[in-house]
């Protein structure tokens, strides 16, 4: 016996549920990310204490003078956390920009290349992707030297292979469409096809992937700083704050909890943003 057809109200509820979830996810992502961005922007013009100020007592508990307490040198933890937000966003934006430009370019070249060139480039990308981002970043930073610029360059180069492979796959799908064949027949050149057909169709998916890669970049920077390969002092980094607080985590847990929560909030916020964007940009998830 066949199941009874859905009523109009049930169909509306079924189709609108994914969109409501996507809206809620997007809002949560915006809120979490906005808090970190606000802290970073405020740090550009104001800090509770200079990073070099060691006038506070050693490992002070949170209070009116120091809202999050102080570290083992007497430095204000809130000030370090705010500057760490600036560093995390700078690394994330810089690394994603490098990965977007380089990865998209390589992916487009592979999509338009001859079959044997495409196969060679695809194999190379697969080999690069097989190595973790952090490992590749560590190798590049070890060659370039530890600095904020080296961290951004290393993480961006390591992530570009993922974007390149995705761009290649998406571009080849678009190039197989009939409207692209018609454009070629009408005399449209490669640049015209890329500008008018390929990029507009792959941009939404690439935007979601780049948002996810932003979280990867934040985690990679924190890991590099934890290992002493990130931004050197006096720059404050969440990863270095974790490394410095590991010896006093039982006596002063805020020193480790604050940067840890900040890292989780930023990564979750960006991932929620990516999930929310996917709900609104993926045609198969939209309501009709």
């Amino acid at each position: 016996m066949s199941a009874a057809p859905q009523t109009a109200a049930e169909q509306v509820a079924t189709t609108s549920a994914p969109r409501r979830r996507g809206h809620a996810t997007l809002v949560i992502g915006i809120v979490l990310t906005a808090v970190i961005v606000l802290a970073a922007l405020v740090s550009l013009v104001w800090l509770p204490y200079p990073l070099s100020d060691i006038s506070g007592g050693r490992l002070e508990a949170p209070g009116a003078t120091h809202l999050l307490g102080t570290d083992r040198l007497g430095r204000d933890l809130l000030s370090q956390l705010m500057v760490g937000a600036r560093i995390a966003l700078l690394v994330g934006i810089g690394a994603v920009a490098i990965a977007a430009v380089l990865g998209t370019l390589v992916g487009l070249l592979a999509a338009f290349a001859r079959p044997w060139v495409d196969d060679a480039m695809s194999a190379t990308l697969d080999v690069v992707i097989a190595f973790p981002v952090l490992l590749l970043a560590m190798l590049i930073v070890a060659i370039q030297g530890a600095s904020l610029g080296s961290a951004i360059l290393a993480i961006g180069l390591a992530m570009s292979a993922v974007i390149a492979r995705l761009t290649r796959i998406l571009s080849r799908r678009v190039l197989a469409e009939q409207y692209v064949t018609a454009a070629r027949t009408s005399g449209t050149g490669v640049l015209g096809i890329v500008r008018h057909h390929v990029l507009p169709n792959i941009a939404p998916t690439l935007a979601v992937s780049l948002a996810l890669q932003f979280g990867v970049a934040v985690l990679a920077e924190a890991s590099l700083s934890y290992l002493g390969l990130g931004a050197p002092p006096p720059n404050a980094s969440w990863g270095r704050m974790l490394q410095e607080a590991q010896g006093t985590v039982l006596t002063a847990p805020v020193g480790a909890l604050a940067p840890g929560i900040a890292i989780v909030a930023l990564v979750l916020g960006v991932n929620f943003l990516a999930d929310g964007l996917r709900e609104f940009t993926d045609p198969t998830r939209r309501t009709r």
Side-chain angles (χ1 to χ4, degrees):
M1 185 174 181
S2 60
Q6 287 184 320
T7 64
E10 290 173 338
Q11 292 177 354
V12 171
T14 301
T15 56
S16 61
R19 193 168 185 87
R20 289 198 300 268
R21 288 195 297 268
H23 179 73
T25 301
L26 188 62
V27 170
I28 294 173
I30 291 174
V31 171
L32 290 175
T33 307
V35 171
I36 305 298
V37 172
L38 180 61
L41 292 176
V42 172
S43 72
L44 294 173
V45 295
W46 176 83
L47 286 173
Y49 296 89
L51 294 181
S52 58
D53 188 347
I54 57 174
S55 60
R58 182 176 180 271
L59 299 178
E60 280 189 10
T65 305
H66 299 278
L67 295 181
L68 292 181
T70 61
D71 63 6
R72 58 184 180 181
L73 298 179
R75 297 173 299 184
D76 182 66
L77 288 176
L78 179 58
S79 300
Q80 296 184 62
L81 199 70
M82 294 171 64
V83 175
R86 185 201 314 168
I87 297 296
L89 291 175
L90 181 61
V91 171
I93 294 173
V96 166
I98 293 174
V101 174
L102 183 60
T104 302
L105 179 60
V106 173
L108 289 174
L109 290 176
F112 281 91
R114 296 181 180 275
W116 67 271
V117 177
D118 179 30
D119 292 339
M121 295 180 70
S122 298
T124 303
L125 291 175
D126 290 339
V127 171
V128 175
I129 292 173
F131 290 90
V133 172
L134 180 59
L135 179 59
L136 289 176
M138 288 174 61
L139 293 175
I140 296 173
V141 169
I143 297 173
Q144 295 289 329
S147 67
L148 183 59
S150 296
I152 295 174
L153 178 62
I155 297 171
L157 291 176
M159 296 191 309
S160 62
V162 177
I163 302 302
R165 185 174 67 172
L166 178 61
T167 301
R168 170 192 170 274
I169 294 172
L170 296 175
S171 299
R172 290 187 69 85
R173 290 178 182 174
V174 175
L175 293 176
E177 296 292 337
Q178 293 183 355
Y179 58 83
V180 175
T181 303
R184 284 173 167 170
T185 304
S186 65
T188 305
V190 173
L191 293 179
I193 291 175
V194 171
R195 183 170 63 253
H196 297 295
H197 300 291
V198 176
L199 289 181
N201 282 283
I202 70 175
T205 305
L206 279 182
V208 173
S209 180
L210 288 171
L212 293 173
Q213 292 301 311
F214 186 98
V216 175
V218 172
L219 290 175
E221 188 279 329
S223 301
L224 288 175
S225 296
Y226 183 87
L227 297 173
L229 298 175
N235 294 310
S237 170
W238 291 340
R240 193 169 67 251
M241 290 178 67
L242 285 171
Q243 191 276 332
E244 292 175 349
Q246 66 178 355
T248 59
V249 65
L250 296 179
T251 57
V254 177
L257 288 176
I261 293 174
I263 293 172
V264 172
L266 181 55
V267 173
L268 283 180
V270 175
N271 286 346
F272 283 154
L273 273 175
D275 289 339
L277 289 174
R278 185 185 292 113
E279 292 289 345
F280 286 97
T281 58
D282 188 350
T284 63
R285 297 171 181 258
R286 296 176 188 167
T287 59
R288 289 180 173 85

